Amino acid sequence: MADGWRPLVLGGIVLVVILTPVFRGAEPAASEESSVAPAAAQQEPAPTPTESSVSQDSADSAPVSEVDGVGTRLLAGGGGAKTVALTFDDGPHPKYTEQVLALLRDRGVVATFCIVGKPASTHPDLVRAIVADGHVLCNHTVSHDIGLRHKGDGVIAGELENTQAVMLGATPDADIRFFRAPGGAFAENINAAASALGLTPLGWSIDTRDWGKPGASAIRDTVFSQIHPGAVVLLHDGGGDRSQTVSALPEIIDGLVERGYTFVVPET
């Protein structure tokens, strides 16, 4: 009887060997990220500008074009000079904006602040403080709706115009030069609405991903590993706990100065 079963057993083994790769192939591919992104990360997804994570330190060229296909400025300008523009999104925040301003003031650094209308209406004093310190304002919409490009023209115009009104209401002399789409989700329609208000759409070439709170050292190292002439660096002073960004900022500034970089406001 044992001899009679032997062909069946061997046949079963062969069948298992043949079918195993088939069933494995039916399994879903493993995700590169094993956990769900935190809410803050979902609110500020990374856009397309940053094309490489390879170190750009001391590079003689930027990893992206100066302006993208829908008219969004990605670089600070300056013809390849070692300039860098620091930009801060989602403020003003009653705690972190003041801390960022103090650090910039102590080091004589100019920056661009991308203002969200809702917190700005609550803290107009911080909008005035930003302008008083010589920084430039950027319209970051009223509600930070990352799906704004899918809305009607009237909704888009309202998001931008209302934020302009809040900033100018806080300080009529505000220097408002730029527009930044929530989540970096730029498109022709929202860029056109910004241009109608005399605003230059402003993206970035280095995303520190500080909104994900990876740690101050990780925020700093991202800047240093990707720095290039004309870099526009995305940071945050609002929208949540930005203590890591505040902690990283002094080393970022000092390290870039040591590397020969000058801090600028992007060209319009």
Side-chain angles (χ1 to χ4, degrees):
M1 182 175 292
D3 290 341
W5 280 102
R6 185 175 294 115
L8 294 176
V9 172
L10 292 176
I13 293 172
V14 171
L15 184 62
V16 170
V17 171
I18 292 173
L19 292 180
T20 296
V22 175
F23 285 109
R24 285 180 178 171
E27 295 175 357
S31 172
E32 292 181 1
E33 296 183 4
S34 58
S35 60
V36 177
Q42 294 173 351
Q43 292 170 3
E44 192 76 57
T48 55
T50 302
E51 297 172 355
S52 174
S53 61
V54 177
S55 174
Q56 295 290 329
D57 199 7
S58 301
D60 58 3
S61 62
V64 294
S65 59
E66 188 128 342
V67 179
D68 71 8
V70 294
T72 306
R73 172 166 284 282
L74 305 179
L75 300 176
K82 295 187 75 172
T83 59
V84 57
L86 300 182
T87 65
F88 296 89
D89 280 19
D90 296 357
H93 188 284
K95 179 179 180 179
Y96 302 114
T97 299
E98 289 185 344
Q99 293 176 353
V100 168
L101 286 173
L103 289 169
L104 297 176
R105 191 182 309 121
D106 289 346
R107 287 164 170 77
V109 172
V110 65
T112 302
F113 285 80
C114 299
I115 301 295
V116 175
K118 286 183 178 179
S121 64
T122 305
H123 304 287
D125 56 316
L126 292 175
V127 178
R128 288 190 288 270
I130 291 169
V131 174
D133 276 4
H135 303 296
V136 172
L137 299 182
C138 170
N139 186 321
H140 202 31
T141 75
V142 168
S143 63
H144 199 279
D145 179 1
I146 63 174
L148 184 61
R149 66 191 184 280
H150 302 302
K151 304 298 173 61
D153 291 344
V155 174
I156 294 171
E159 283 279 338
L160 274 67
E161 291 170 0
N162 290 337
T163 306
Q164 292 288 101
V166 169
M167 292 188 286
L168 292 172
T171 170
D173 297 326
D175 187 2
I176 310 171
R177 302 185 194 177
F178 303 104
F179 159 74
R180 175 165 284 169
F186 292 94
E188 289 184 2
N189 58 343
I190 54 177
N191 282 5
S195 297
L197 294 175
L199 304 175
T200 298
L202 178 64
W204 57 84
S205 60
I206 298 178
D207 181 2
T208 63
R209 303 181 73 82
D210 61 337
W211 42 263
K213 294 183 277 192
S217 60
I219 297 169
R220 174 204 64 204
D221 291 346
T222 296
V223 175
F224 291 164
S225 67
Q226 298 184 27
I227 191 62
H228 57 81
V232 177
V233 181
L234 172 63
L235 296 158
H236 291 78
D237 66 316
D241 181 352
R242 304 307 177 202
S243 57
Q244 294 180 3
T245 303
V246 173
S247 296
L249 191 56
E251 288 190 61
I252 290 173
I253 294 173
D254 295 346
L256 291 176
V257 169
E258 291 175 1
R259 287 163 169 78
Y261 279 85
T262 301
F263 295 92
V264 299
V265 170
E267 296 178 359
T268 55

